[in-house]
mmCIF file with all atom_site columns, all heavy atoms in Angstrom:
data_model
loop_
_atom_site.group_PDB
_atom_site.id
_atom_site.type_symbol
_atom_site.label_atom_id
_atom_site.label_alt_id
_atom_site.label_comp_id
_atom_site.label_asym_id
_atom_site.label_entity_id
_atom_site.label_seq_id
_atom_site.pdbx_PDB_ins_code
_atom_site.Cartn_x
_atom_site.Cartn_y
_atom_site.Cartn_z
_atom_site.occupancy
_atom_site.B_iso_or_equiv
_atom_site.pdbx_formal_charge
_atom_site.auth_seq_id
_atom_site.auth_comp_id
_atom_site.auth_asym_id
_atom_site.auth_atom_id
_atom_site.pdbx_PDB_model_num
ATOM 1   N N   . THR P 1 79 ? -20.984 1.209  -4.056 1.00 0.00 ? 79 THR P N   1
ATOM 2   C CA  . THR P 1 79 ? -21.466 0.507  -2.859 1.00 0.00 ? 79 THR P CA  1
ATOM 3   C C   . THR P 1 79 ? -21.760 1.528  -1.710 1.00 0.00 ? 79 THR P C   1
ATOM 4   O O   . THR P 1 79 ? -22.804 1.478  -1.094 1.00 0.00 ? 79 THR P O   1
ATOM 5   C CB  . THR P 1 79 ? -20.420 -0.516 -2.390 1.00 0.00 ? 79 THR P CB  1
ATOM 6   O OG1 . THR P 1 79 ? -20.183 -1.468 -3.394 1.00 0.00 ? 79 THR P OG1 1
ATOM 7   C CG2 . THR P 1 79 ? -20.931 -1.243 -1.154 1.00 0.00 ? 79 THR P CG2 1
ATOM 8   N N   . ALA P 1 80 ? -20.771 2.426  -1.501 1.00 0.00 ? 80 ALA P N   1
ATOM 9   C CA  . ALA P 1 80 ? -20.982 3.447  -0.467 1.00 0.00 ? 80 ALA P CA  1
ATOM 10  C C   . ALA P 1 80 ? -22.126 4.348  -0.821 1.00 0.00 ? 80 ALA P C   1
ATOM 11  O O   . ALA P 1 80 ? -22.904 4.761  0.105  1.00 0.00 ? 80 ALA P O   1
ATOM 12  C CB  . ALA P 1 80 ? -19.683 4.281  -0.344 1.00 0.00 ? 80 ALA P CB  1
ATOM 13  N N   . TYR P 1 81 ? -22.372 4.687  -2.083 1.00 0.00 ? 81 TYR P N   1
ATOM 14  C CA  . TYR P 1 81 ? -23.485 5.563  -2.490 1.00 0.00 ? 81 TYR P CA  1
ATOM 15  C C   . TYR P 1 81 ? -24.787 4.844  -2.238 1.00 0.00 ? 81 TYR P C   1
ATOM 16  O O   . TYR P 1 81 ? -25.740 5.450  -1.709 1.00 0.00 ? 81 TYR P O   1
ATOM 17  C CB  . TYR P 1 81 ? -23.337 5.888  -3.969 1.00 0.00 ? 81 TYR P CB  1
ATOM 18  C CG  . TYR P 1 81 ? -24.461 6.777  -4.446 1.00 0.00 ? 81 TYR P CG  1
ATOM 19  C CD1 . TYR P 1 81 ? -24.552 8.092  -4.128 1.00 0.00 ? 81 TYR P CD1 1
ATOM 20  C CD2 . TYR P 1 81 ? -25.428 6.238  -5.289 1.00 0.00 ? 81 TYR P CD2 1
ATOM 21  C CE1 . TYR P 1 81 ? -25.555 8.897  -4.546 1.00 0.00 ? 81 TYR P CE1 1
ATOM 22  C CE2 . TYR P 1 81 ? -26.476 7.026  -5.766 1.00 0.00 ? 81 TYR P CE2 1
ATOM 23  C CZ  . TYR P 1 81 ? -26.541 8.355  -5.410 1.00 0.00 ? 81 TYR P CZ  1
ATOM 24  O OH  . TYR P 1 81 ? -27.593 9.126  -5.863 1.00 0.00 ? 81 TYR P OH  1
ATOM 25  N N   . ILE P 1 82 ? -24.860 3.573  -2.568 1.00 0.00 ? 82 ILE P N   1
ATOM 26  C CA  . ILE P 1 82 ? -26.088 2.801  -2.347 1.00 0.00 ? 82 ILE P CA  1
ATOM 27  C C   . ILE P 1 82 ? -26.414 2.714  -0.846 1.00 0.00 ? 82 ILE P C   1
ATOM 28  O O   . ILE P 1 82 ? -27.555 2.898  -0.424 1.00 0.00 ? 82 ILE P O   1
ATOM 29  C CB  . ILE P 1 82 ? -25.939 1.402  -2.954 1.00 0.00 ? 82 ILE P CB  1
ATOM 30  C CG1 . ILE P 1 82 ? -25.894 1.481  -4.459 1.00 0.00 ? 82 ILE P CG1 1
ATOM 31  C CG2 . ILE P 1 82 ? -27.114 0.500  -2.514 1.00 0.00 ? 82 ILE P CG2 1
ATOM 32  C CD1 . ILE P 1 82 ? -25.557 0.151  -5.167 1.00 0.00 ? 82 ILE P CD1 1
ATOM 33  N N   . ILE P 1 83 ? -25.410 2.451  -0.041 1.00 0.00 ? 83 ILE P N   1
ATOM 34  C CA  . ILE P 1 83 ? -25.615 2.377  1.409  1.00 0.00 ? 83 ILE P CA  1
ATOM 35  C C   . ILE P 1 83 ? -26.093 3.685  1.934  1.00 0.00 ? 83 ILE P C   1
ATOM 36  O O   . ILE P 1 83 ? -27.073 3.750  2.762  1.00 0.00 ? 83 ILE P O   1
ATOM 37  C CB  . ILE P 1 83 ? -24.315 1.951  2.119  1.00 0.00 ? 83 ILE P CB  1
ATOM 38  C CG1 . ILE P 1 83 ? -23.906 0.545  1.728  1.00 0.00 ? 83 ILE P CG1 1
ATOM 39  C CG2 . ILE P 1 83 ? -24.500 2.018  3.672  1.00 0.00 ? 83 ILE P CG2 1
ATOM 40  C CD1 . ILE P 1 83 ? -22.589 0.100  2.285  1.00 0.00 ? 83 ILE P CD1 1
ATOM 41  N N   . SER P 1 84 ? -25.498 4.802  1.504  1.00 0.00 ? 84 SER P N   1
ATOM 42  C CA  . SER P 1 84 ? -25.882 6.109  2.005  1.00 0.00 ? 84 SER P CA  1
ATOM 43  C C   . SER P 1 84 ? -27.311 6.534  1.667  1.00 0.00 ? 84 SER P C   1
ATOM 44  O O   . SER P 1 84 ? -27.854 7.444  2.276  1.00 0.00 ? 84 SER P O   1
ATOM 45  C CB  . SER P 1 84 ? -24.909 7.169  1.557  1.00 0.00 ? 84 SER P CB  1
ATOM 46  O OG  . SER P 1 84 ? -24.987 7.328  0.130  1.00 0.00 ? 84 SER P OG  1
ATOM 47  N N   . GLN P 1 85 ? -27.877 5.894  0.624  1.00 0.00 ? 85 GLN P N   1
ATOM 48  C CA  . GLN P 1 85 ? -29.230 6.245  0.188  1.00 0.00 ? 85 GLN P CA  1
ATOM 49  C C   . GLN P 1 85 ? -30.294 5.455  0.949  1.00 0.00 ? 85 GLN P C   1
ATOM 50  O O   . GLN P 1 85 ? -31.502 5.749  0.756  1.00 0.00 ? 85 GLN P O   1
ATOM 51  C CB  . GLN P 1 85 ? -29.353 6.019  -1.319 1.00 0.00 ? 85 GLN P CB  1
ATOM 52  C CG  . GLN P 1 85 ? -28.438 6.881  -2.163 1.00 0.00 ? 85 GLN P CG  1
ATOM 53  C CD  . GLN P 1 85 ? -28.654 8.344  -1.932 1.00 0.00 ? 85 GLN P CD  1
ATOM 54  O OE1 . GLN P 1 85 ? -29.771 8.890  -2.149 1.00 0.00 ? 85 GLN P OE1 1
ATOM 55  N NE2 . GLN P 1 85 ? -27.614 9.033  -1.486 1.00 0.00 ? 85 GLN P NE2 1
ATOM 56  N N   . ARG P 1 86 ? -29.927 4.547  1.812  1.00 0.00 ? 86 ARG P N   1
ATOM 57  C CA  . ARG P 1 86 ? -30.892 3.738  2.505  1.00 0.00 ? 86 ARG P CA  1
ATOM 58  C C   . ARG P 1 86 ? -31.296 4.384  3.870  1.00 0.00 ? 86 ARG P C   1
ATOM 59  O O   . ARG P 1 86 ? -30.651 5.355  4.318  1.00 0.00 ? 86 ARG P O   1
ATOM 60  C CB  . ARG P 1 86 ? -30.340 2.289  2.740  1.00 0.00 ? 86 ARG P CB  1
ATOM 61  C CG  . ARG P 1 86 ? -30.029 1.573  1.468  1.00 0.00 ? 86 ARG P CG  1
ATOM 62  C CD  . ARG P 1 86 ? -31.277 1.374  0.631  1.00 0.00 ? 86 ARG P CD  1
ATOM 63  N NE  . ARG P 1 86 ? -31.046 0.575  -0.590 1.00 0.00 ? 86 ARG P NE  1
ATOM 64  C CZ  . ARG P 1 86 ? -30.856 1.134  -1.791 1.00 0.00 ? 86 ARG P CZ  1
ATOM 65  N NH1 . ARG P 1 86 ? -30.846 2.436  -1.930 1.00 0.00 ? 86 ARG P NH1 1
ATOM 66  N NH2 . ARG P 1 86 ? -30.660 0.378  -2.857 1.00 0.00 ? 86 ARG P NH2 1
ATOM 67  N N   . THR P 1 87 ? -32.290 3.800  4.478  1.00 0.00 ? 87 THR P N   1
ATOM 68  C CA  . THR P 1 87 ? -32.709 4.290  5.819  1.00 0.00 ? 87 THR P CA  1
ATOM 69  C C   . THR P 1 87 ? -31.621 3.986  6.829  1.00 0.00 ? 87 THR P C   1
ATOM 70  O O   . THR P 1 87 ? -30.731 3.172  6.590  1.00 0.00 ? 87 THR P O   1
ATOM 71  C CB  . THR P 1 87 ? -34.003 3.619  6.223  1.00 0.00 ? 87 THR P CB  1
ATOM 72  O OG1 . THR P 1 87 ? -33.811 2.232  6.358  1.00 0.00 ? 87 THR P OG1 1
ATOM 73  C CG2 . THR P 1 87 ? -35.127 3.899  5.231  1.00 0.00 ? 87 THR P CG2 1
ATOM 74  N N   . ASP P 1 88 ? -31.673 4.640  7.969  1.00 0.00 ? 88 ASP P N   1
ATOM 75  C CA  . ASP P 1 88 ? -30.658 4.513  9.004  1.00 0.00 ? 88 ASP P CA  1
ATOM 76  C C   . ASP P 1 88 ? -30.546 3.034  9.425  1.00 0.00 ? 88 ASP P C   1
ATOM 77  O O   . ASP P 1 88 ? -29.405 2.546  9.625  1.00 0.00 ? 88 ASP P O   1
ATOM 78  C CB  . ASP P 1 88 ? -30.985 5.381  10.205 1.00 0.00 ? 88 ASP P CB  1
ATOM 79  C CG  . ASP P 1 88 ? -30.841 6.838  9.924  1.00 0.00 ? 88 ASP P CG  1
ATOM 80  O OD1 . ASP P 1 88 ? -30.190 7.159  8.896  1.00 0.00 ? 88 ASP P OD1 1
ATOM 81  O OD2 . ASP P 1 88 ? -31.383 7.658  10.664 1.00 0.00 ? 88 ASP P OD2 1
ATOM 82  N N   . ARG P 1 89 ? -31.624 2.341  9.594  1.00 0.00 ? 89 ARG P N   1
ATOM 83  C CA  . ARG P 1 89 ? -31.557 0.963  10.058 1.00 0.00 ? 89 ARG P CA  1
ATOM 84  C C   . ARG P 1 89 ? -30.877 0.099  9.023  1.00 0.00 ? 89 ARG P C   1
ATOM 85  O O   . ARG P 1 89 ? -29.995 -0.768 9.370  1.00 0.00 ? 89 ARG P O   1
ATOM 86  C CB  . ARG P 1 89 ? -32.974 0.462  10.346 1.00 0.00 ? 89 ARG P CB  1
ATOM 87  C CG  . ARG P 1 89 ? -33.021 -0.961 10.858 1.00 0.00 ? 89 ARG P CG  1
ATOM 88  C CD  . ARG P 1 89 ? -34.446 -1.408 11.191 1.00 0.00 ? 89 ARG P CD  1
ATOM 89  N NE  . ARG P 1 89 ? -34.488 -2.761 11.632 1.00 0.00 ? 89 ARG P NE  1
ATOM 90  C CZ  . ARG P 1 89 ? -35.624 -3.364 11.977 1.00 0.00 ? 89 ARG P CZ  1
ATOM 91  N NH1 . ARG P 1 89 ? -36.782 -2.750 11.857 1.00 0.00 ? 89 ARG P NH1 1
ATOM 92  N NH2 . ARG P 1 89 ? -35.612 -4.643 12.423 1.00 0.00 ? 89 ARG P NH2 1
ATOM 93  N N   . ILE P 1 90 ? -31.218 0.263  7.768  1.00 0.00 ? 90 ILE P N   1
ATOM 94  C CA  . ILE P 1 90 ? -30.617 -0.536 6.700  1.00 0.00 ? 90 ILE P CA  1
ATOM 95  C C   . ILE P 1 90 ? -29.132 -0.201 6.577  1.00 0.00 ? 90 ILE P C   1
ATOM 96  O O   . ILE P 1 90 ? -28.298 -1.036 6.310  1.00 0.00 ? 90 ILE P O   1
ATOM 97  C CB  . ILE P 1 90 ? -31.366 -0.367 5.371  1.00 0.00 ? 90 ILE P CB  1
ATOM 98  C CG1 . ILE P 1 90 ? -32.797 -0.895 5.501  1.00 0.00 ? 90 ILE P CG1 1
ATOM 99  C CG2 . ILE P 1 90 ? -30.623 -1.088 4.223  1.00 0.00 ? 90 ILE P CG2 1
ATOM 100 C CD1 . ILE P 1 90 ? -33.616 -0.720 4.277  1.00 0.00 ? 90 ILE P CD1 1
ATOM 101 N N   . GLN P 1 91 ? -28.817 1.100  6.723  1.00 0.00 ? 91 GLN P N   1
ATOM 102 C CA  . GLN P 1 91 ? -27.443 1.542  6.638  1.00 0.00 ? 91 GLN P CA  1
ATOM 103 C C   . GLN P 1 91 ? -26.605 0.824  7.686  1.00 0.00 ? 91 GLN P C   1
ATOM 104 O O   . GLN P 1 91 ? -25.475 0.341  7.412  1.00 0.00 ? 91 GLN P O   1
ATOM 105 C CB  . GLN P 1 91 ? -27.328 3.038  6.834  1.00 0.00 ? 91 GLN P CB  1
ATOM 106 C CG  . GLN P 1 91 ? -27.733 3.882  5.623  1.00 0.00 ? 91 GLN P CG  1
ATOM 107 C CD  . GLN P 1 91 ? -27.461 5.345  5.819  1.00 0.00 ? 91 GLN P CD  1
ATOM 108 O OE1 . GLN P 1 91 ? -26.508 5.717  6.460  1.00 0.00 ? 91 GLN P OE1 1
ATOM 109 N NE2 . GLN P 1 91 ? -28.351 6.162  5.258  1.00 0.00 ? 91 GLN P NE2 1
ATOM 110 N N   . ARG P 1 92 ? -27.095 0.771  8.899  1.00 0.00 ? 92 ARG P N   1
ATOM 111 C CA  . ARG P 1 92 ? -26.307 0.129  9.951  1.00 0.00 ? 92 ARG P CA  1
ATOM 112 C C   . ARG P 1 92 ? -26.090 -1.347 9.653  1.00 0.00 ? 92 ARG P C   1
ATOM 113 O O   . ARG P 1 92 ? -25.033 -1.922 9.891  1.00 0.00 ? 92 ARG P O   1
ATOM 114 C CB  . ARG P 1 92 ? -27.083 0.285  11.302 1.00 0.00 ? 92 ARG P CB  1
ATOM 115 C CG  . ARG P 1 92 ? -27.011 1.689  11.867 1.00 0.00 ? 92 ARG P CG  1
ATOM 116 C CD  . ARG P 1 92 ? -27.457 1.695  13.328 1.00 0.00 ? 92 ARG P CD  1
ATOM 117 N NE  . ARG P 1 92 ? -28.887 1.355  13.429 1.00 0.00 ? 92 ARG P NE  1
ATOM 118 C CZ  . ARG P 1 92 ? -29.884 2.190  13.446 1.00 0.00 ? 92 ARG P CZ  1
ATOM 119 N NH1 . ARG P 1 92 ? -29.640 3.516  13.272 1.00 0.00 ? 92 ARG P NH1 1
ATOM 120 N NH2 . ARG P 1 92 ? -31.144 1.800  13.573 1.00 0.00 ? 92 ARG P NH2 1
ATOM 121 N N   . THR P 1 93 ? -27.117 -2.008 9.126  1.00 0.00 ? 93 THR P N   1
ATOM 122 C CA  . THR P 1 93 ? -26.990 -3.421 8.762  1.00 0.00 ? 93 THR P CA  1
ATOM 123 C C   . THR P 1 93 ? -25.984 -3.645 7.639  1.00 0.00 ? 93 THR P C   1
ATOM 124 O O   . THR P 1 93 ? -25.135 -4.523 7.725  1.00 0.00 ? 93 THR P O   1
ATOM 125 C CB  . THR P 1 93 ? -28.342 -4.003 8.325  1.00 0.00 ? 93 THR P CB  1
ATOM 126 O OG1 . THR P 1 93 ? -29.298 -3.789 9.392  1.00 0.00 ? 93 THR P OG1 1
ATOM 127 C CG2 . THR P 1 93 ? -28.248 -5.484 8.021  1.00 0.00 ? 93 THR P CG2 1
ATOM 128 N N   . MET P 1 94 ? -25.998 -2.766 6.629  1.00 0.00 ? 94 MET P N   1
ATOM 129 C CA  . MET P 1 94 ? -25.129 -2.917 5.488  1.00 0.00 ? 94 MET P CA  1
ATOM 130 C C   . MET P 1 94 ? -23.669 -2.622 5.902  1.00 0.00 ? 94 MET P C   1
ATOM 131 O O   . MET P 1 94 ? -22.712 -3.272 5.445  1.00 0.00 ? 94 MET P O   1
ATOM 132 C CB  . MET P 1 94 ? -25.540 -2.056 4.340  1.00 0.00 ? 94 MET P CB  1
ATOM 133 C CG  . MET P 1 94 ? -26.913 -2.421 3.754  1.00 0.00 ? 94 MET P CG  1
ATOM 134 S SD  . MET P 1 94 ? -27.469 -1.345 2.413  1.00 0.00 ? 94 MET P SD  1
ATOM 135 C CE  . MET P 1 94 ? -26.405 -1.935 1.104  1.00 0.00 ? 94 MET P CE  1
#
Side-chain angles (χ1 to χ4, degrees):
T79 303
Y81 179 73
I82 292 171
I83 296 175
S84 67
Q85 298 301 301
R86 299 298 183 263
T87 62
D88 290 344
R89 182 178 179 182
I90 296 178
Q91 284 187 34
R92 289 193 294 268
T93 303
M94 296 180 74

